[in-house]
Amino acid sequence: MTEKTPFKMIKRTKAASKQLGQIPGSVIYTGQNPKEELYIEVFDYDKTHCDALELDSIEESFKYKLTDSVTWINLNGLNHVKQIEKLGIHYELHPLVLEDIVNISQRPKIDDYDSYLFIALKMLYYNASGVITSEQVSFVLGKNYVLSFQEAEGDVFDSVRERIQKAKGRIRNMRSDYLLYVLIDAIVDYYFNVVEILGDKIETLESQIFDGAVEENTSRDIQNLKREVLRVRRAIFPLREMIGRIEKNETPLIQKKIITYYKDIHDHLVQVSENIDIYREMIWSLMDMYMTTISNKMNEVMKVLTIMASIFIPLTFIAGVYGMNFQHMPELQSPYGYYIVWGVMALIFIGMLYYFKRKKWL
C-alpha cells in the first residue's frame, strides 16, 4: 500500500473563507468596511420634474416602485445586509442576486431574470495615496428603475447627478435603460483617467531607467505597476464580454434604439483594452531595460577593476623581483637603482594608461 501524500493546506483570503460551506443565496458581506455608514439617495424624475432626496431608511424608497417616472436608488454601505435584503424583498430580487451584491470579489457579469437585469462591474480610481483601488458596483435594471449598490461613499457619478437635476442632455426624456447606460458610461470614462495616469507612471519610470537613474526601489516600482495593470485588465476584459451580451440581448428592458449607446461603451472598452495591452508589454520591456542597466553598471565596475589590476600586475612583478633577498643582484648595488626602478614603473603606468585610452577602454 502506497503512502498517501500529506494534505497541503491552502491559505485563503478572508473573503473566500466567508463563502466556504455557506448555503447558496446566503447574503454575507465579504468586504473590509464593516463600520461603513448607510447612505441612501433617490432621484425620481421625468420630463417635467426631478426629486433628489437623501433617505433615512430603506423603507422610504419602497413607494417609488409603482411610479411612472424613472427612479434611481443608490445605496452606499454593503455591510448593511439587512437593509439590502429588505430592498431585495420589495423589488423581488433573487437570493443569488443579493449574494452577488455583497460579495465584493464578484467577477463583472450580467444576469437576466426576466423582469430585471443584474449587472456587476468594477469602478477603478486612484486614492489619496496614489494607489489604484477597485470597488465593486452592482446595478439592477427594472422597467422604470435602476438600483445601484456601492461599498463606500464616493463615486464617479457626480456628472450624472448634475445632468438629472439640471435636465442636461436627453437623460430626463429617456427610460431607465438609458440611465443604466449613463451610469456604466461614467465608470468606463473614468477608466481612461486611470489608464492615462498609469501611462504617465510607466513613461516616467522608463525615462528614469533610460537615463540610468536606477534606484534601489526601481524594481519594486516596476512590480507595483505590473500589479496595477493586471488589476485594470481583470476589471476591463470581462466587462467587454458583458457589454457584448447586452448588445445581443433581446430583453424588453433595453430598447433597440438604446443598444447603439451600449455599442459606444464597447468601443471605449476596446480602446482601453488596447492601451492596457500596450502598457503590459511596456512593463515587460521596463524589466528587461532595468536588468540591462544593472548589468551595464556591473560591467562598468568590472572594467574599472580589471584596468586597475592590469596596471598593477607589472608593477607588482617588478616590486616582487627586487624584493627578493638574494645577495648577488647587480641592480641592488647601483646608487641610482632605486630611482631607475621608480622611473620604469612610472613609465609602465603612463604607457598603459595611454594604451587603454587609445583603445577607448577608459
Side-chain angles (χ1 to χ4, degrees):
M1 184 175 181
T2 58
E3 183 179 357
K4 292 184 179 180
T5 304
F7 179 74
K8 184 178 180 181
M9 295 298 293
I10 301 175
K11 185 177 180 181
R12 300 182 183 272
T13 62
K14 186 179 292 186
S17 63
K18 289 182 180 180
Q19 298 297 313
L20 293 177
Q22 298 296 333
I23 300 173
S26 301
V27 185
I28 301 175
Y29 173 59
T30 61
Q32 304 297 324
N33 298 319
K35 297 182 180 180
E36 185 71 27
E37 294 183 2
L38 179 65
Y39 176 78
I40 308 169
E41 61 178 342
V42 172
F43 292 87
D44 186 75
Y45 63 89
D46 57 21
K47 295 180 181 180
T48 59
H49 90 285
C50 174
D51 294 332
L53 305 172
E54 295 181 7
L55 307 183
D56 296 325
S57 65
I58 200 66
E59 289 81 4
E60 295 180 35
S61 66
F62 292 170
K63 62 182 179 180
Y64 294 101
K65 182 181 179 182
L66 301 178
T67 61
D68 295 330
S69 54
V70 177
T71 304
W72 172 26
I73 301 176
N74 182 46
L75 185 148
N76 295 337
L78 299 184
N79 53 307
H80 296 272
V81 174
K82 297 298 182 182
Q83 302 300 319
I84 294 175
E85 287 181 323
K86 289 180 182 179
L87 186 65
I89 292 173
H90 183 75
Y91 281 89
E92 301 177 354
L93 303 183
H94 196 281
L96 292 177
V97 171
L98 299 179
E99 179 184 0
D100 290 341
I101 288 174
V102 297
N103 180 13
I104 64 169
S105 59
Q106 188 63 241
R107 185 178 185 270
K109 59 182 289 188
I110 178 171
D111 291 329
D112 190 349
Y113 286 89
D114 295 334
S115 61
Y116 61 88
L117 290 179
F118 170 69
I119 295 173
L121 66 160
K122 300 297 182 182
M123 179 171 61
L124 302 176
Y125 59 91
Y126 278 96
N127 59 21
S129 302
V131 179
I132 193 169
T133 303
S134 175
E135 179 183 344
Q136 178 169 303
V137 180
S138 302
F139 297 106
V140 176
L141 169 66
K143 182 180 179 181
N144 63 334
Y145 65 86
V146 173
L147 310 179
S148 60
F149 302 87
Q150 303 179 53
E151 187 175 9
E153 189 174 356
D155 51 42
V156 298
F157 300 140
D158 288 341
S159 61
V160 179
R161 297 182 178 93
E162 182 180 2
R163 289 163 65 181
I164 293 175
Q165 291 177 306
K166 297 183 179 180
K168 292 183 178 181
R170 57 176 64 88
I171 190 169
R172 292 266 290 269
N173 299 317
M174 308 295 278
R175 287 173 42 182
S176 57
D177 52 355
Y178 184 81
L179 173 61
L180 177 64
Y181 152 74
V182 171
L183 293 172
I184 296 177
D185 185 62
I187 294 176
V188 173
D189 283 346
Y190 211 80
Y191 287 170
F192 283 97
N193 184 40
V194 170
V195 171
E196 183 179 355
I197 295 174
L198 192 58
D200 291 340
K201 286 185 175 182
I202 294 174
E203 291 177 1
T204 300
L205 190 57
E206 184 181 40
S207 299
Q208 291 178 355
I209 296 176
F210 186 78
D211 294 337
V214 178
E215 301 176 356
E216 293 182 359
N217 59 346
T218 299
S219 60
R220 188 185 308 128
D221 292 339
I222 295 176
Q223 291 298 326
N224 290 337
L225 285 175
K226 181 180 177 182
R227 280 193 286 267
E228 289 183 3
V229 168
L230 291 177
R231 183 173 295 180
V232 175
R233 194 172 187 270
R234 282 197 297 266
I236 292 175
F237 273 71
L239 187 56
R240 288 176 55 182
E241 177 186 347
M242 187 190 79
I243 298 299
R245 287 188 58 189
I246 292 179
E247 293 179 30
K248 300 175 183 178
N249 196 14
E250 297 180 354
T251 174
L253 294 172
I254 300 180
Q255 305 172 80
K256 290 185 178 180
K257 65 179 181 179
I258 303 298
I259 294 296
T260 304
Y261 295 102
Y262 287 94
K263 290 181 178 179
D264 182 64
I265 292 180
H266 188 270
D267 293 339
H268 290 171
L269 289 172
V270 170
Q271 183 179 350
V272 174
S273 299
E274 290 175 351
N275 290 338
I276 288 298
D277 287 338
I278 293 173
Y279 293 152
R280 190 183 181 192
E281 295 297 326
M282 289 178 66
I283 289 177
W284 284 110
S285 300
L286 282 181
M287 183 57 73
D288 293 338
M289 188 184 301
Y290 170 74
M291 297 304 297
T292 301
T293 302
I294 295 297
S295 179
N296 289 339
K297 283 193 171 185
M298 182 63 68
N299 290 338
E300 288 293 328
V301 173
M302 294 302 297
K303 184 176 71 173
V304 172
L305 294 177
T306 302
I307 290 174
M308 292 177 62
S310 299
I311 291 174
F312 280 96
I313 283 174
L315 304 183
T316 304
F317 174 76
I318 295 174
V321 169
Y322 288 98
M324 294 185 293
N325 295 322
F326 290 111
Q327 292 183 359
H328 303 289
M329 293 185 69
E331 293 84 358
L332 295 179
Q333 306 301 323
S334 173
Y336 303 105
Y338 175 75
Y339 304 104
I340 292 173
V341 170
W342 267 111
V344 171
M345 294 173 69
L347 288 175
I348 291 175
F349 179 79
I350 295 173
M352 294 188 74
L353 287 179
Y354 175 74
Y355 177 77
F356 291 148
K357 197 74 174 178
R358 284 195 59 184
K359 289 290 186 178
K360 297 183 178 178
W361 295 347
L362 284 177

